[in-house]
Amino acid sequence: DTGVSQNPRHKITKRGQNVTFRCDPISEHNRLYWYRQTLGQGPEFLTYFQNEAQLEKSRLLSDRFSAERPKGSFSTLEIQRTEQGDSAMYLCASSSGGGRNTIYFGEGSWLTVV
Amino acid sequence: AQTVTQSQPEMSVQEAETVTLSCTYDTSESDYYLFWYKQPPSRQMILVIRQEAYKQQNATENRFSVNFQKAAKSFSLKISDSQLGDAAMYFCAYRGNSGNTPLVFGKGTRLSVIA
């Protein structure tokens, strides 16, 4: 069990550029979540996968955001035409089920849009 | 929609003393789970303690315990014998038991531990 891994840990990009973050969940965890966290706030839910199926998307996930989990293992979160308001930490998490099952978080990917 | 409120943006405690962090939530569900997560500076978020709503007994994990008041929709965290390593952001979180509900977080409480 190597934990949830996220890459890159930090990304600085110019406004208008595209960025992609990768998340490798804990092995055999079928559920994968993306959250966004800004300074002084709690994490806000973006989207959720069960295996390769994207089952839920928050209204926070605008058309510029797309997430995939092609083989039910790793996931990518792409932000197109970045805006300064996208600056945040993007957290990935995974779990082996719902309800009381522990959701394990990665260390996050910090995005700064300049 | 479920909401979680943490009314204390910052708290401080002397080393070895006890501190209580407050959390209230709003839900129309009867079956759900409540969690406290700890996020140290520049470190990943880790689970501190969880409570099943159907259990009346308050959860305890070593120095961490909760006071769960279901009727009042209150879920406070008590840290006993505070240690320097307890300094972190603490987030209260709610998760329903129906289908695919994600974790809903409060805004967090920053805890400082004074030596």
Side-chain angles (χ1 to χ4, degrees):
Chain A
D1 181 353
T2 58
V4 178
S5 177
Q6 293 189 243
N7 290 288
R9 293 292 316 284
H10 298 90
K11 178 73 175 178
I12 300 174
T13 190
K14 292 183 178 179
R15 189 172 49 187
Q17 298 294 305
N18 299 343
V19 296
T20 300
F21 298 111
R22 175 180 170 125
C23 172
D24 288 272
I26 292 173
S27 299
E28 300 178 359
H29 276 189
N30 61 346
R31 297 190 179 204
L32 187 146
Y33 310 83
W34 285 99
Y35 283 80
R36 182 175 71 184
Q37 186 178 17
T38 53
L39 285 174
Q41 301 293 319
E44 297 173 294
F45 171 74
L46 292 178
T47 189
Y48 147 66
F49 291 84
Q50 183 162 311
N51 299 313
E52 66 275 11
Q54 189 172 17
L55 297 186
E56 192 168 341
K57 292 194 291 187
S58 161
R59 60 177 172 76
L60 294 175
L61 212 66
S62 73
D63 292 344
R64 297 184 297 104
F65 287 70
S66 63
E68 295 182 342
R69 195 183 183 195
K71 297 183 179 180
S73 56
F74 73 92
S75 175
T76 58
L77 176 69
E78 181 183 19
I79 309 173
Q80 296 181 327
R81 304 181 304 281
T82 52
E83 302 172 355
Q84 286 189 324
D86 297 332
S87 296
M89 181 163 66
Y90 292 85
L91 289 166
C92 180
S94 69
S95 71
S96 59
R100 74 179 308 277
N101 285 284
T102 300
I103 295 180
Y104 295 87
F105 284 82
E107 294 190 31
S109 292
W110 276 103
L111 173 65
T112 301
V113 181
V114 297
Chain B
Q2 293 81 14
T3 58
V4 177
T5 302
Q6 294 179 250
S7 59
Q8 305 155 315
E10 296 183 358
M11 291 282 286
S12 62
V13 62
Q14 293 279 348
E15 201 175 2
E17 296 296 309
T18 296
V19 64
T20 299
L21 308 184
S22 301
C23 173
T24 58
Y25 59 95
D26 188 27
T27 184
S28 58
E29 297 178 304
S30 59
D31 193 15
Y32 50 87
Y33 301 90
L34 296 164
F35 305 83
W36 278 98
Y37 275 85
K38 171 185 178 182
Q39 188 177 41
S42 302
R43 300 283 303 277
Q44 69 197 108
M45 193 140 35
I46 57 173
L47 179 67
V48 174
I49 197 166
R50 105 185 82 220
Q51 174 79 43
E52 290 90 342
Y54 64 85
K55 289 187 177 178
Q56 291 187 338
Q57 187 172 6
N58 289 323
T60 299
E61 289 286 345
N62 300 314
R63 297 183 295 107
F64 299 88
S65 62
V66 299
N67 183 3
F68 173 49
Q69 302 288 329
K70 191 173 184 179
K73 295 180 181 175
S74 170
F75 182 61
S76 61
L77 174 70
K78 186 172 80 171
I79 306 174
S80 304
D81 185 26
S82 297
Q83 301 174 1
L84 294 177
D86 295 333
M89 283 291 291
Y90 286 82
F91 292 99
C92 178
Y94 169 100
R95 189 181 197 184
N97 195 34
S98 55
N100 306 319
T101 53
L103 276 175
V104 177
F105 287 89
K107 290 188 175 183
T109 297
R110 182 177 302 281
L111 177 67
S112 301
V113 181
I114 303 165

